[in-house]
Amino acid sequence: MPSGPAGQPTISGDGHGPQGGPPTVTIGSYPDYPSAQRMVDHLADNRFPVEHTAIVGTNLTLVETVLGRLTTGRSALIGAATGAWFGLFIGLLFGIFTAGNWAVVILVGLVIGAIWGAVFGAIAHTMTGGRRDFTSASSLRAGQYAVTVDAQLADRAQELLARMHLTPTRRTAG
C-alpha cells in the first residue's frame, strides 16, 4: 500500500472520501451552526481536547442569491473597478522605482487599469449574448450540524454537554 502525505499508509474506504482517523461518535445534532459552535466552545472552556471534535454540516443545499440585473454598462463599471485595483498595484510597483513624481505614475496606472477593465468588462458581457444578465452570490447551507468526537472521548464530552442543560437530538456511532 502506498504511503500517504505523512508517510503513513492510507486506508482505502468505501469510496466516499478519506477514511483516516479513529472512529467518531455524534454527540449532538443542532439546527444551526452557532448552536453547534456553542457546544464545541463549551467543551473548550472545560478543557476538553477539542482537536478531537468536528462540526459536520449535513443536508447541504446550494443557494444562489440573485443580487441584481447585469447590463453592459454595469459590467463595464465592475470591470473598471477591478481594472483600477490592478492598475493601482502596477502603478505602485512602477512608482517605487521612479525617480521623479511617483504620484503621477500611480495615478496613470490607476486610470489606464480602469479604462482597460471597463473595455474588457463590456466585451465579456456582450459575448455572453444575454444568457446570464444577472449577478449572484452562491453559498452552501447545511440543514443540520452534527458535533462529533473521537469514540474514546464521547462519554466525557457527553458529561460536559449535560452540564450545559441542553439536550442534543441524538447520539449515534459514526
Side-chain angles (χ1 to χ4, degrees):
M1 181 180 318
S3 294
Q8 300 173 347
T10 56
I11 301 168
S12 56
D14 58 2
H16 292 11
Q19 195 68 17
T24 61
V25 173
T26 299
I27 59 169
S29 295
Y30 306 94
D32 55 19
Y33 182 78
S35 297
Q37 186 179 10
R38 190 169 49 250
M39 296 306 116
V40 175
D41 188 49
H42 178 73
L43 292 174
D45 291 346
N46 286 283
R47 303 198 188 286
F48 184 83
V50 291
E51 62 273 9
H52 297 278
T53 65
I55 298 175
V56 181
T58 57
N59 301 328
L60 296 178
T61 305
L62 174 67
V63 178
E64 184 173 10
T65 304
V66 177
L67 301 174
R69 183 168 159 69
L70 187 62
T71 62
T72 303
R74 188 163 182 204
S75 294
L77 188 62
I78 293 169
T82 304
W85 277 110
F86 184 70
L88 177 65
F89 174 70
I90 297 299
L92 285 169
L93 285 177
F94 281 122
I96 291 172
F97 301 107
T98 301
N101 192 352
W102 58 269
V104 172
V105 174
I106 293 171
L107 184 63
V108 167
L110 188 137
V111 170
I112 290 173
I115 291 169
W116 279 108
V119 169
F120 285 121
I123 289 171
H125 181 264
T126 302
M127 290 179 67
T128 65
R131 285 187 304 261
R132 187 167 169 96
D133 285 341
F134 61 92
T135 60
S136 64
S138 296
S139 63
L140 278 178
R141 296 185 187 163
Q144 187 174 8
Y145 296 87
V147 176
T148 64
V149 298
D150 290 353
Q152 74 270 14
L153 299 170
D155 290 334
R156 182 173 170 212
Q158 198 69 39
E159 289 172 15
L160 290 172
L161 292 181
R163 288 185 203 163
M164 218 175 155
H165 304 295
L166 290 173
T167 308
T169 56
R170 65 184 169 139
R171 178 180 170 174
T172 58

